[in-house]
Amino acid sequence: MRNAMRFRDFIGLARGRSFWGRLPVVAAVAFVPSAAVAQQAPTRQFSIEPQLRLEFDDNVLRLPDVAASPNGFRRSDTRASPQLAINIVRPIGRQSLFLTGVVGYDFYRYNKQLERERISLRGGGSVSAGTCTLNGDVRYSRRQSDLEDIVIGGFGRGRNRETSWAPDVGVSCGAAGGLSSSLNYGHDDVQNSDPFRSYGDYHADTYNAQIGLNRPAIGNLSLYTNYRHGIYDNRFLSPGLNESVKSYAAGVKLDREFGRIKGHVSGGVTRVQSNTPGVRGFRGGTYDVALTYVAPRATAEVGFGRSIQQSNLLGVDYSIVDSFNVGLTYRLNPRITLNSGAGVTRRRLSQSPLAPLPTGNFNDRSRTINVGASFDAARHVSLDAGAIWRQRRGDLPSFAYNARILALTIRIH
């Protein structure tokens, strides 16, 4: 019963001494005395928006084109998802509290066994004290997992509840136009209800430190480092010793605006180690680039990167993920907005010999294309319509699929 969560994108940490040997130095640098960063006070917000999403999926089971549906399942299905979208922000002097997310339920026409609550919430707040700000939040999600990574046949294809919670706390200090610094701790706890997916259950702790310089001529330039230790709850190397993955990372990030273009560029070195015999480690470059161009009526986005991700896929220790995506939004008139996008993701899966079933899928590639439109139908009613095409190809034909999705969302605000 632990949900699929992933390693945050890492930007490499050098070899040599362990993170714990470096931590006193990191902490000393991170808390360079400085004036408080000028922060924009949050605006009071309160909305609880009823929504209804209707979706037709011609391959809800994510089966190969030539594969037959397992007994009791239908390949294509229609899903109705009534939900509430929550957005609450309450400033209290220099402090603030917030709660955002979606709470709903998925109903299927045929595949009733896939019906499940769909919850994704994040709540927390911030406290300002002198030159620093303390931030804390908790994320919680619970849903029926997507079926593309569940083994085909009688081994777990179908019902699986993914549940995760992730508390996070950090402190940041700094000056507008000067030095800034921060320390952060986060915890992930991930569970699955399906017996085979439970081999991916894990909990992980992540520690981050960052120091930055903000100058109008260069933008916001930051150096950061992090350490993450993830432990798989149901994979045992020996009594009392669980399979685990450690990641060390350090890098540089630049945020800046160039006229109508704004975005960030980051890069560095990442090192990943598994304590499981037969699982190769990783040491190499990781990066992330995201740029946005804003015109009077249009917005264009492009992003690409390489990251290391931990997930609850069956028997996978970690993945090396390369991704590329583009998007375009165009405001046709005050009531109609058009949007489109495309993306490609390639994964190299580092699998564990402790998996209950061998998969043999070490590399795969997924492609997505989407088009859509938003329409303000009335004063308090909006419609979002779209079409999505998804495709995956991998080392094994059983992990390849095509899926076409049509969706309509009715929003009352």
PDB file of all heavy atoms in Angstrom, residues 2 34 46 49 53 82 84 104 108 125 144 160-162 188 192 270 287 289 294 309 348 351 373 375 378:
ATOM      1  N   ARG A   2       1.810   1.352  -0.833  1.00  0.00           N
ATOM      2  CA  ARG A   2       2.633   2.533  -0.916  1.00  0.00           C
ATOM      3  C   ARG A   2       2.622   3.090  -2.323  1.00  0.00           C
ATOM      4  O   ARG A   2       2.813   2.358  -3.244  1.00  0.00           O
ATOM      5  CB  ARG A   2       4.050   2.210  -0.537  1.00  0.00           C
ATOM      6  CG  ARG A   2       4.152   1.805   0.930  1.00  0.00           C
ATOM      7  CD  ARG A   2       5.364   2.294   1.424  1.00  0.00           C
ATOM      8  NE  ARG A   2       5.984   1.679   2.435  1.00  0.00           N
ATOM      9  CZ  ARG A   2       5.831   1.761   3.683  1.00  0.00           C
ATOM     10  NH1 ARG A   2       4.956   2.374   4.177  1.00  0.00           N
ATOM     11  NH2 ARG A   2       6.574   1.220   4.521  1.00  0.00           N
ATOM     12  N   SER A  34      22.690  37.208   6.491  1.00  0.00           N
ATOM     13  CA  SER A  34      22.224  38.095   5.433  1.00  0.00           C
ATOM     14  C   SER A  34      20.890  38.676   5.830  1.00  0.00           C
ATOM     15  O   SER A  34      20.228  38.228   6.755  1.00  0.00           O
ATOM     16  CB  SER A  34      22.083  37.322   4.119  1.00  0.00           C
ATOM     17  OG  SER A  34      21.246  36.211   4.293  1.00  0.00           O
ATOM     18  N   PHE A  46      -9.815  31.648  -1.692  1.00  0.00           N
ATOM     19  CA  PHE A  46     -10.690  30.591  -1.195  1.00  0.00           C
ATOM     20  C   PHE A  46     -11.588  30.145  -2.338  1.00  0.00           C
ATOM     21  O   PHE A  46     -12.430  30.911  -2.814  1.00  0.00           O
ATOM     22  CB  PHE A  46     -11.550  31.069  -0.028  1.00  0.00           C
ATOM     23  CG  PHE A  46     -12.402  29.960   0.549  1.00  0.00           C
ATOM     24  CD1 PHE A  46     -11.921  29.183   1.585  1.00  0.00           C
ATOM     25  CD2 PHE A  46     -13.667  29.693   0.044  1.00  0.00           C
ATOM     26  CE1 PHE A  46     -12.690  28.148   2.112  1.00  0.00           C
ATOM     27  CE2 PHE A  46     -14.442  28.668   0.557  1.00  0.00           C
ATOM     28  CZ  PHE A  46     -13.953  27.889   1.596  1.00  0.00           C
ATOM     29  N   GLU A  49     -14.078  24.186  -6.039  1.00  0.00           N
ATOM     30  CA  GLU A  49     -14.687  24.176  -7.368  1.00  0.00           C
ATOM     31  C   GLU A  49     -15.164  22.778  -7.744  1.00  0.00           C
ATOM     32  O   GLU A  49     -14.344  21.880  -7.922  1.00  0.00           O
ATOM     33  CB  GLU A  49     -13.663  24.682  -8.383  1.00  0.00           C
ATOM     34  CG  GLU A  49     -14.149  24.781  -9.803  1.00  0.00           C
ATOM     35  CD  GLU A  49     -13.067  25.320 -10.712  1.00  0.00           C
ATOM     36  OE1 GLU A  49     -12.831  26.550 -10.708  1.00  0.00           O
ATOM     37  OE2 GLU A  49     -12.441  24.512 -11.433  1.00  0.00           O
ATOM     38  N   ARG A  53     -15.133  15.201 -14.767  1.00  0.00           N
ATOM     39  CA  ARG A  53     -14.299  14.816 -15.902  1.00  0.00           C
ATOM     40  C   ARG A  53     -14.837  13.529 -16.507  1.00  0.00           C
ATOM     41  O   ARG A  53     -15.001  12.518 -15.801  1.00  0.00           O
ATOM     42  CB  ARG A  53     -12.841  14.621 -15.482  1.00  0.00           C
ATOM     43  CG  ARG A  53     -11.919  14.210 -16.640  1.00  0.00           C
ATOM     44  CD  ARG A  53     -10.477  14.099 -16.189  1.00  0.00           C
ATOM     45  NE  ARG A  53      -9.599  13.592 -17.221  1.00  0.00           N
ATOM     46  CZ  ARG A  53      -9.015  14.330 -18.164  1.00  0.00           C
ATOM     47  NH1 ARG A  53      -9.247  15.645 -18.189  1.00  0.00           N
ATOM     48  NH2 ARG A  53      -8.221  13.804 -19.071  1.00  0.00           N
ATOM     49  N   PRO A  82     -16.314  12.650 -10.787  1.00  0.00           N
ATOM     50  CA  PRO A  82     -16.710  13.865 -10.068  1.00  0.00           C
ATOM     51  C   PRO A  82     -15.640  14.200  -9.029  1.00  0.00           C
ATOM     52  O   PRO A  82     -15.096  13.304  -8.367  1.00  0.00           O
ATOM     53  CB  PRO A  82     -18.031  13.475  -9.406  1.00  0.00           C
ATOM     54  CG  PRO A  82     -17.969  11.984  -9.294  1.00  0.00           C
ATOM     55  CD  PRO A  82     -17.148  11.496 -10.450  1.00  0.00           C
ATOM     56  N   LEU A  84     -13.745  17.647  -6.434  1.00  0.00           N
ATOM     57  CA  LEU A  84     -13.679  19.010  -5.929  1.00  0.00           C
ATOM     58  C   LEU A  84     -12.237  19.492  -6.032  1.00  0.00           C
ATOM     59  O   LEU A  84     -11.322  18.822  -5.535  1.00  0.00           O
ATOM     60  CB  LEU A  84     -14.138  19.080  -4.468  1.00  0.00           C
ATOM     61  CG  LEU A  84     -15.623  18.791  -4.181  1.00  0.00           C
ATOM     62  CD1 LEU A  84     -15.863  18.819  -2.678  1.00  0.00           C
ATOM     63  CD2 LEU A  84     -16.517  19.804  -4.881  1.00  0.00           C
ATOM     64  N   GLY A 104     -11.757  13.332  -5.306  1.00  0.00           N
ATOM     65  CA  GLY A 104     -12.816  12.833  -6.168  1.00  0.00           C
ATOM     66  C   GLY A 104     -12.871  11.323  -6.172  1.00  0.00           C
ATOM     67  O   GLY A 104     -12.230  10.640  -5.353  1.00  0.00           O
ATOM     68  N   TYR A 108     -16.176   3.608 -13.429  1.00  0.00           N
ATOM     69  CA  TYR A 108     -15.996   3.017 -14.756  1.00  0.00           C
ATOM     70  C   TYR A 108     -17.298   2.363 -15.216  1.00  0.00           C
ATOM     71  O   TYR A 108     -18.056   1.798 -14.406  1.00  0.00           O
ATOM     72  CB  TYR A 108     -14.884   1.966 -14.731  1.00  0.00           C
ATOM     73  CG  TYR A 108     -13.503   2.542 -14.650  1.00  0.00           C
ATOM     74  CD1 TYR A 108     -12.953   2.901 -13.419  1.00  0.00           C
ATOM     75  CD2 TYR A 108     -12.743   2.737 -15.795  1.00  0.00           C
ATOM     76  CE1 TYR A 108     -11.685   3.430 -13.341  1.00  0.00           C
ATOM     77  CE2 TYR A 108     -11.461   3.269 -15.729  1.00  0.00           C
ATOM     78  CZ  TYR A 108     -10.945   3.621 -14.492  1.00  0.00           C
ATOM     79  OH  TYR A 108      -9.685   4.147 -14.412  1.00  0.00           O
ATOM     80  N   GLY A 125       2.298  25.669   5.484  1.00  0.00           N
ATOM     81  CA  GLY A 125       2.365  27.087   5.797  1.00  0.00           C
ATOM     82  C   GLY A 125       3.785  27.561   5.926  1.00  0.00           C
ATOM     83  O   GLY A 125       4.751  26.805   5.737  1.00  0.00           O
ATOM     84  N   GLN A 144      -6.131   4.763  -7.829  1.00  0.00           N
ATOM     85  CA  GLN A 144      -5.877   3.558  -8.603  1.00  0.00           C
ATOM     86  C   GLN A 144      -4.703   3.835  -9.530  1.00  0.00           C
ATOM     87  O   GLN A 144      -4.688   4.823 -10.259  1.00  0.00           O
ATOM     88  CB  GLN A 144      -7.111   3.181  -9.418  1.00  0.00           C
ATOM     89  CG  GLN A 144      -6.841   2.244 -10.584  1.00  0.00           C
ATOM     90  CD  GLN A 144      -6.380   0.860 -10.151  1.00  0.00           C
ATOM     91  OE1 GLN A 144      -6.794   0.355  -9.134  1.00  0.00           O
ATOM     92  NE2 GLN A 144      -5.511   0.250 -10.934  1.00  0.00           N
ATOM     93  N   ASN A 160      -5.071  -1.834  -7.998  1.00  0.00           N
ATOM     94  CA  ASN A 160      -3.936  -1.529  -7.126  1.00  0.00           C
ATOM     95  C   ASN A 160      -4.089  -0.114  -6.593  1.00  0.00           C
ATOM     96  O   ASN A 160      -4.136   0.843  -7.358  1.00  0.00           O
ATOM     97  CB  ASN A 160      -2.604  -1.649  -7.864  1.00  0.00           C
ATOM     98  CG  ASN A 160      -1.427  -1.295  -6.965  1.00  0.00           C
ATOM     99  OD1 ASN A 160      -1.188  -1.946  -5.958  1.00  0.00           O
ATOM    100  ND2 ASN A 160      -0.719  -0.218  -7.306  1.00  0.00           N
ATOM    101  N   ARG A 161      -4.180   0.005  -5.280  1.00  0.00           N
ATOM    102  CA  ARG A 161      -4.273   1.316  -4.661  1.00  0.00           C
ATOM    103  C   ARG A 161      -2.866   1.833  -4.366  1.00  0.00           C
ATOM    104  O   ARG A 161      -2.097   1.187  -3.645  1.00  0.00           O
ATOM    105  CB  ARG A 161      -5.069   1.251  -3.365  1.00  0.00           C
ATOM    106  CG  ARG A 161      -5.234   2.634  -2.703  1.00  0.00           C
ATOM    107  CD  ARG A 161      -5.553   2.545  -1.223  1.00  0.00           C
ATOM    108  NE  ARG A 161      -6.747   1.772  -0.954  1.00  0.00           N
ATOM    109  CZ  ARG A 161      -6.744   0.629  -0.278  1.00  0.00           C
ATOM    110  NH1 ARG A 161      -5.595   0.112   0.158  1.00  0.00           N
ATOM    111  NH2 ARG A 161      -7.855  -0.018  -0.047  1.00  0.00           N
ATOM    112  N   GLU A 162      -2.529   2.978  -4.911  1.00  0.00           N
ATOM    113  CA  GLU A 162      -1.264   3.650  -4.603  1.00  0.00           C
ATOM    114  C   GLU A 162      -1.536   4.722  -3.548  1.00  0.00           C
ATOM    115  O   GLU A 162      -2.413   5.556  -3.722  1.00  0.00           O
ATOM    116  CB  GLU A 162      -0.678   4.316  -5.839  1.00  0.00           C
ATOM    117  CG  GLU A 162      -0.310   3.360  -6.942  1.00  0.00           C
ATOM    118  CD  GLU A 162       0.280   4.077  -8.140  1.00  0.00           C
ATOM    119  OE1 GLU A 162       0.238   5.327  -8.185  1.00  0.00           O
ATOM    120  OE2 GLU A 162       0.786   3.381  -9.031  1.00  0.00           O
ATOM    121  N   ASP A 188       9.586  10.610   2.040  1.00  0.00           N
ATOM    122  CA  ASP A 188       8.598   9.980   1.167  1.00  0.00           C
ATOM    123  C   ASP A 188       8.224   8.625   1.745  1.00  0.00           C
ATOM    124  O   ASP A 188       9.092   7.866   2.186  1.00  0.00           O
ATOM    125  CB  ASP A 188       9.156   9.758  -0.252  1.00  0.00           C
ATOM    126  CG  ASP A 188       9.494  11.060  -0.946  1.00  0.00           C
ATOM    127  OD1 ASP A 188       8.989  12.101  -0.506  1.00  0.00           O
ATOM    128  OD2 ASP A 188      10.261  11.022  -1.911  1.00  0.00           O
ATOM    129  N   ASN A 192       1.660   0.181  -1.924  1.00  0.00           N
ATOM    130  CA  ASN A 192       0.781  -0.416  -2.926  1.00  0.00           C
ATOM    131  C   ASN A 192      -0.045  -1.509  -2.278  1.00  0.00           C
ATOM    132  O   ASN A 192       0.437  -2.225  -1.395  1.00  0.00           O
ATOM    133  CB  ASN A 192       1.603  -1.047  -4.058  1.00  0.00           C
ATOM    134  CG  ASN A 192       2.404  -0.025  -4.819  1.00  0.00           C
ATOM    135  OD1 ASN A 192       1.920   0.595  -5.748  1.00  0.00           O
ATOM    136  ND2 ASN A 192       3.659   0.156  -4.423  1.00  0.00           N
ATOM    137  N   THR A 270      25.634  13.353 -10.741  1.00  0.00           N
ATOM    138  CA  THR A 270      24.876  12.525  -9.806  1.00  0.00           C
ATOM    139  C   THR A 270      25.556  11.179  -9.635  1.00  0.00           C
ATOM    140  O   THR A 270      26.072  10.614 -10.593  1.00  0.00           O
ATOM    141  CB  THR A 270      23.443  12.301 -10.319  1.00  0.00           C
ATOM    142  OG1 THR A 270      22.778  13.543 -10.406  1.00  0.00           O
ATOM    143  CG2 THR A 270      22.655  11.377  -9.401  1.00  0.00           C
ATOM    144  N   TYR A 287      20.775  16.966 -15.839  1.00  0.00           N
ATOM    145  CA  TYR A 287      20.504  18.365 -16.185  1.00  0.00           C
ATOM    146  C   TYR A 287      19.009  18.572 -16.352  1.00  0.00           C
ATOM    147  O   TYR A 287      18.223  17.628 -16.495  1.00  0.00           O
ATOM    148  CB  TYR A 287      21.247  18.743 -17.470  1.00  0.00           C
ATOM    149  CG  TYR A 287      20.918  17.859 -18.652  1.00  0.00           C
ATOM    150  CD1 TYR A 287      19.888  18.180 -19.531  1.00  0.00           C
ATOM    151  CD2 TYR A 287      21.628  16.668 -18.867  1.00  0.00           C
ATOM    152  CE1 TYR A 287      19.580  17.353 -20.601  1.00  0.00           C
ATOM    153  CE2 TYR A 287      21.322  15.840 -19.930  1.00  0.00           C
ATOM    154  CZ  TYR A 287      20.303  16.191 -20.795  1.00  0.00           C
ATOM    155  OH  TYR A 287      19.992  15.358 -21.848  1.00  0.00           O
ATOM    156  N   VAL A 289      16.459  21.745 -18.246  1.00  0.00           N
ATOM    157  CA  VAL A 289      16.300  23.022 -18.939  1.00  0.00           C
ATOM    158  C   VAL A 289      14.816  23.236 -19.196  1.00  0.00           C
ATOM    159  O   VAL A 289      14.137  22.354 -19.722  1.00  0.00           O
ATOM    160  CB  VAL A 289      17.072  23.045 -20.279  1.00  0.00           C
ATOM    161  CG1 VAL A 289      16.837  24.371 -21.010  1.00  0.00           C
ATOM    162  CG2 VAL A 289      18.562  22.818 -20.040  1.00  0.00           C
ATOM    163  N   VAL A 294       6.503  34.180 -23.599  1.00  0.00           N
ATOM    164  CA  VAL A 294       5.180  34.739 -23.365  1.00  0.00           C
ATOM    165  C   VAL A 294       4.941  35.892 -24.326  1.00  0.00           C
ATOM    166  O   VAL A 294       5.657  36.894 -24.302  1.00  0.00           O
ATOM    167  CB  VAL A 294       5.029  35.223 -21.906  1.00  0.00           C
ATOM    168  CG1 VAL A 294       3.627  35.800 -21.685  1.00  0.00           C
ATOM    169  CG2 VAL A 294       5.291  34.082 -20.932  1.00  0.00           C
ATOM    170  N   GLN A 309      15.423   8.639 -11.143  1.00  0.00           N
ATOM    171  CA  GLN A 309      14.133   8.508 -10.477  1.00  0.00           C
ATOM    172  C   GLN A 309      14.030   7.175  -9.767  1.00  0.00           C
ATOM    173  O   GLN A 309      14.374   6.137 -10.320  1.00  0.00           O
ATOM    174  CB  GLN A 309      12.992   8.641 -11.495  1.00  0.00           C
ATOM    175  CG  GLN A 309      12.934   9.996 -12.172  1.00  0.00           C
ATOM    176  CD  GLN A 309      11.798  10.098 -13.171  1.00  0.00           C
ATOM    177  OE1 GLN A 309      11.117   9.118 -13.455  1.00  0.00           O
ATOM    178  NE2 GLN A 309      11.603  11.283 -13.715  1.00  0.00           N
ATOM    179  N   ARG A 348      16.032   4.055 -18.780  1.00  0.00           N
ATOM    180  CA  ARG A 348      16.902   2.894 -18.586  1.00  0.00           C
ATOM    181  C   ARG A 348      16.642   2.391 -17.175  1.00  0.00           C
ATOM    182  O   ARG A 348      16.931   3.068 -16.193  1.00  0.00           O
ATOM    183  CB  ARG A 348      18.367   3.280 -18.764  1.00  0.00           C
ATOM    184  CG  ARG A 348      18.790   3.429 -20.226  1.00  0.00           C
ATOM    185  CD  ARG A 348      20.274   3.635 -20.346  1.00  0.00           C
ATOM    186  NE  ARG A 348      20.679   4.977 -19.940  1.00  0.00           N
ATOM    187  CZ  ARG A 348      21.917   5.319 -19.627  1.00  0.00           C
ATOM    188  NH1 ARG A 348      22.882   4.416 -19.633  1.00  0.00           N
ATOM    189  NH2 ARG A 348      22.194   6.562 -19.290  1.00  0.00           N
ATOM    190  N   GLN A 351      17.178  -2.937 -12.769  1.00  0.00           N
ATOM    191  CA  GLN A 351      16.284  -3.861 -12.095  1.00  0.00           C
ATOM    192  C   GLN A 351      16.993  -4.672 -11.022  1.00  0.00           C
ATOM    193  O   GLN A 351      18.191  -4.916 -11.082  1.00  0.00           O
ATOM    194  CB  GLN A 351      15.642  -4.793 -13.125  1.00  0.00           C
ATOM    195  CG  GLN A 351      14.780  -4.039 -14.126  1.00  0.00           C
ATOM    196  CD  GLN A 351      13.976  -4.973 -15.004  1.00  0.00           C
ATOM    197  OE1 GLN A 351      14.056  -6.184 -14.878  1.00  0.00           O
ATOM    198  NE2 GLN A 351      13.189  -4.398 -15.890  1.00  0.00           N
ATOM    199  N   ALA A 373      -8.845  22.409 -25.985  1.00  0.00           N
ATOM    200  CA  ALA A 373      -9.400  23.756 -25.988  1.00  0.00           C
ATOM    201  C   ALA A 373     -10.157  23.984 -24.693  1.00  0.00           C
ATOM    202  O   ALA A 373     -10.737  23.044 -24.117  1.00  0.00           O
ATOM    203  CB  ALA A 373     -10.318  23.959 -27.187  1.00  0.00           C
ATOM    204  N   PHE A 375     -13.160  26.578 -22.958  1.00  0.00           N
ATOM    205  CA  PHE A 375     -14.230  27.464 -23.379  1.00  0.00           C
ATOM    206  C   PHE A 375     -14.999  27.940 -22.152  1.00  0.00           C
ATOM    207  O   PHE A 375     -15.499  27.118 -21.372  1.00  0.00           O
ATOM    208  CB  PHE A 375     -15.177  26.728 -24.340  1.00  0.00           C
ATOM    209  CG  PHE A 375     -16.393  27.500 -24.731  1.00  0.00           C
ATOM    210  CD1 PHE A 375     -16.287  28.751 -25.323  1.00  0.00           C
ATOM    211  CD2 PHE A 375     -17.662  26.981 -24.507  1.00  0.00           C
ATOM    212  CE1 PHE A 375     -17.418  29.472 -25.684  1.00  0.00           C
ATOM    213  CE2 PHE A 375     -18.799  27.685 -24.860  1.00  0.00           C
ATOM    214  CZ  PHE A 375     -18.669  28.938 -25.456  1.00  0.00           C
ATOM    215  N   ALA A 378     -20.243  30.014 -19.744  1.00  0.00           N
ATOM    216  CA  ALA A 378     -21.136  30.945 -19.050  1.00  0.00           C
ATOM    217  C   ALA A 378     -20.339  31.607 -17.935  1.00  0.00           C
ATOM    218  O   ALA A 378     -19.145  31.340 -17.750  1.00  0.00           O
ATOM    219  CB  ALA A 378     -22.357  30.206 -18.503  1.00  0.00           C
TER     220      ALA A 378
END
